[in-house]
Amino acid sequence: MAATLRTVTDAVTRWRQFERTVVERGLGRGLGYAPRQLRYARSVEHRHGADVSHLLPADYRAFVAEVGYPVLGFGYYDREGFSFLPPEAMESRSVDLPGPDDEWPEATEGGPTRCLFALFAAWDLSEIEGYAFGPADGADRAGGPAVWLVENGMAREVAHATFTEWLAGELTRQETRLADVSPEWDDDPHRLVDYSVDGGYDQKPYTAGDLDLVWVERQEGSPYSYGLVDRAGTWLIPLGKRFRSVRPFRDGIAEVILNDPTTSYAGPWSRIRTDGSVVG
């Protein structure tokens, strides 16, 4: 227990030192924090959600509980930086993250998909590149969790034994980089917010009832297909092409752009209830 506590304390202390260094060098705009409640749509293949709980180590859990979800970047698609993924973003990307032997997570009928890896930090959310938690022993896929390098949408190899070890090495690398960085500011350097469902760094908190309502999408055709499920994956609005774009529900109401001849992707926005009926 004492060793774990020292590890967690060291990780948080090390991060706070790095924060101060970034600010002291006049680069504070390049360091922000993503909201924990950033909403992401589920894919229709995994509409019951994702299970990553078995992959998240204690030192990581303690770190994000204390620090949050850092976003570090000094330009558009800054591949030298990273964005920590809040829970729904992590689940969204982890359900489709295979291992080096091309083994993929399998959807579970009526329950969340048990992920093989949990993407926790990324510099590219399109090609899926960054770091994930996975088995400590890459040979027999047993043990863990360790930190894996993710490239081109696949977990490739164990990079570090623990999250704290990864963080220490990453911050040392970043401090060396700060001496020569030439910022070209971008407030969403890895498109973490851009890929969310109408999220923002300054978004208001959601209620428990709001979080129980999850959009599901199929990214085929134009517009995409959208449907609504509850947290357990039960359909409330069937999947279809009724909407051009959607926003998260708040207090039982969501804004959407209806897919009809009078609308475009610019609007106008309408308000709907959880059964899909239009308000007003």
Side-chain angles (χ1 to χ4, degrees):
M1 180 66 70
T4 300
L5 180 60
R6 285 197 301 271
T7 298
V8 171
T9 301
D10 288 349
V12 173
T13 299
R14 183 75 177 86
W15 177 261
R16 297 305 185 198
Q17 292 172 343
F18 177 72
E19 276 183 325
R20 290 193 293 272
T21 299
V22 172
V23 173
E24 288 168 359
R25 297 193 180 186
L27 298 170
R29 183 176 170 183
L31 176 59
Y33 293 88
R36 187 182 191 282
Q37 294 182 334
L38 195 63
R39 304 305 310 271
Y40 266 65
R42 293 177 182 173
S43 68
V44 66
E45 294 82 6
H46 303 280
R47 78 172 196 272
H48 296 285
D51 177 11
V52 296
S53 59
H54 57 293
L55 295 167
L56 306 184
D59 54 349
Y60 165 80
R61 291 175 185 267
F63 178 84
V64 295
E66 178 70 22
V67 170
Y69 299 88
V71 174
L72 179 70
F74 301 104
Y76 182 72
Y77 270 113
D78 180 2
R79 295 181 61 83
E80 295 297 314
F82 55 76
S83 288
F84 273 53
L85 277 61
E88 288 193 12
M90 175 187 286
E91 294 173 8
S92 170
R93 294 303 185 259
S94 298
V95 291
D96 289 318
L97 185 57
D101 298 324
D102 204 29
E103 179 184 357
W104 293 74
E106 295 184 2
T108 303
E109 183 63 32
T113 300
R114 185 175 175 85
C115 296
L116 305 178
F117 297 87
L119 187 72
F120 71 90
W123 59 80
D124 190 328
L125 287 169
S126 176
E127 299 298 328
I128 314 300
E129 298 193 322
Y131 292 97
F133 296 119
D137 187 341
D140 61 12
R141 307 294 296 280
V147 175
W148 284 63
L149 175 66
V150 177
E151 292 181 325
N152 296 318
M154 178 178 287
R156 299 291 179 175
E157 61 185 7
V158 173
H160 296 276
T162 68
F163 168 75
T164 300
E165 178 186 296
W166 170 83
L167 183 68
E170 183 65 20
L171 295 188
T172 297
R173 184 180 72 84
Q174 292 294 340
E175 285 172 338
T176 300
R177 177 191 176 210
L178 294 181
D180 299 316
V181 70
S182 298
E184 297 178 1
W185 302 117
D186 189 290
D187 293 333
D188 190 22
H190 309 112
R191 320 325 309 158
L192 180 63
V193 167
D194 189 42
Y195 285 121
S196 72
V197 182
D198 200 57
Y201 288 106
D202 58 351
Q203 68 182 34
K204 297 178 181 178
Y206 291 96
T207 66
D210 296 332
L211 295 173
D212 193 49
L213 300 169
V214 185
W215 284 109
V216 174
E217 67 181 7
R218 174 181 283 140
Q219 295 185 359
E220 293 179 358
S222 180
Y224 291 165
S225 297
Y226 292 100
L228 183 72
V229 297
D230 62 17
R231 179 63 66 177
T234 303
W235 289 109
L236 302 175
I237 299 176
L239 188 75
K241 293 190 177 291
R242 185 182 170 197
F243 311 118
R244 293 185 188 273
S245 190
V246 299
R247 289 173 174 166
F249 275 83
R250 288 188 181 276
D251 299 322
I253 301 294
E255 292 184 328
V256 301
I257 299 177
L258 298 173
N259 180 25
D260 66 42
T262 68
T263 67
S264 71
Y265 284 101
W269 291 86
S270 301
R271 300 167 72 234
I272 64 168
R273 304 177 182 89
T274 57
D275 62 359
S277 60
V278 177
V279 177

